[in-house]
Amino acid sequence: MSDPSLADALRARIIAGEFAPGERLSEAALAARLDVSRNTLREAFRVLAQTGLVEHVPNRGVSVASPSTADVVDIYRARRRIECGIVRESSPLHPSVAVMREELERAEAAVVDGDWAIVASANTGFHRALVALSDSPRLERIHEQLLAELRLAFLAIADFESLHRPFVGRNRIVLDTLVEQGPHAAADELEAYLTESERLVLGAYARLGRA
């Protein structure tokens, strides 16, 4: 397995929750499990550290990152700048609007079924499609990194229903506002949405006693 593909594979496992936020990643055990050299694994760790998914802890080795309260605040600050800015300059006729609708409908169906993993996946898909309104691969890459870091915060809270149920309806409002009232009104709705989401995550952090 090449270094980039190993980093991608580890990234997918971390985001899926296979390794918990803050969990130490044993270099020897993981190299044996993945059948790669320790040097190859170290390079993958270096790549993941650059994207904020793992961190080198002195005298402890490498651990899955565990976003702090300050990290969460900064992630949402960046999301508001990126997502609201994109929506404000978007067109309701952009092809990605149809993808937003598909992901929203997938989330709405999953709410009925009580499948919160699917709701979480569809909500993420909705926001990916929203950022695709920018037609900017660079913005999409930056946003994808933010979503990955935020996913670690969600995993630390471990309550997908409370994290995602309230915002399926908010996604519907953002989409309908974009189509019916235009991008500026939709951007205002999205900013309020992201601020509410940030407060929910920070409130959950406070209850868990996280700094």
Side-chain angles (χ1 to χ4, degrees):
M1 185 181 290
S2 65
D3 293 351
S5 63
L6 176 59
D8 288 344
L10 285 173
R11 178 183 183 279
R13 292 184 180 198
I14 290 169
I15 292 173
E18 186 171 328
F19 305 103
E23 180 179 344
R24 182 176 177 273
L25 299 175
S26 168
E27 187 178 287
L30 200 53
R33 176 177 168 186
L34 298 175
D35 193 24
V36 297
S37 72
R38 293 177 71 165
N39 283 339
T40 298
L41 185 60
R42 288 187 195 116
E43 178 59 21
F45 283 161
R46 185 188 66 79
V47 171
L48 293 174
Q50 290 176 339
T51 62
L53 292 183
V54 302
E55 52 192 8
H56 292 270
V57 180
N59 303 318
R60 287 191 57 199
V62 175
S63 296
V64 177
S66 183
S68 66
T69 294
D71 291 327
V72 170
V73 169
D74 194 36
I75 289 167
Y76 274 97
R77 180 188 299 122
R79 286 190 69 190
R80 279 190 291 269
R81 291 289 182 90
I82 292 172
E83 294 187 37
C84 296
I86 287 170
V87 170
R88 192 165 282 114
E89 297 180 1
S90 67
S91 166
L93 301 178
H94 193 286
S96 285
V97 171
V99 181
M100 292 168 65
R101 190 177 304 282
E102 289 170 3
E103 293 290 354
L104 174 58
E105 291 172 352
R106 186 162 73 98
E108 290 172 337
V111 167
V112 174
D113 294 336
D115 191 334
W116 304 111
I118 295 297
V119 173
S121 172
N123 277 354
T124 297
F126 179 90
H127 287 275
R128 284 193 182 113
L130 184 153
V131 172
L133 293 169
S134 67
D135 294 318
S136 171
R138 288 172 176 80
L139 283 175
E140 290 182 54
R141 286 197 297 270
I142 294 168
H143 185 257
E144 191 65 29
Q145 179 177 329
L146 293 172
L147 291 182
E149 291 183 79
L150 188 59
R151 170 74 173 178
L152 292 179
F154 289 171
L155 288 171
I157 296 169
D159 183 356
F160 278 12
E161 179 175 359
S162 68
L163 288 168
H164 295 288
R165 179 195 279 273
F167 300 103
V168 176
R170 297 299 292 268
N171 285 344
R172 169 62 68 184
I173 292 171
V174 169
L175 179 59
D176 288 349
T177 302
L178 175 62
V179 173
E180 297 168 8
Q181 300 179 42
H184 286 276
D188 290 343
E189 288 287 351
L190 179 60
E191 184 162 9
Y193 163 152
L194 291 174
T195 297
E196 182 181 336
S197 178
E198 177 185 12
R199 288 172 180 165
L200 188 152
V201 174
L202 292 176
Y205 261 39
R207 288 190 293 275
L208 292 170
R210 294 177 62 88

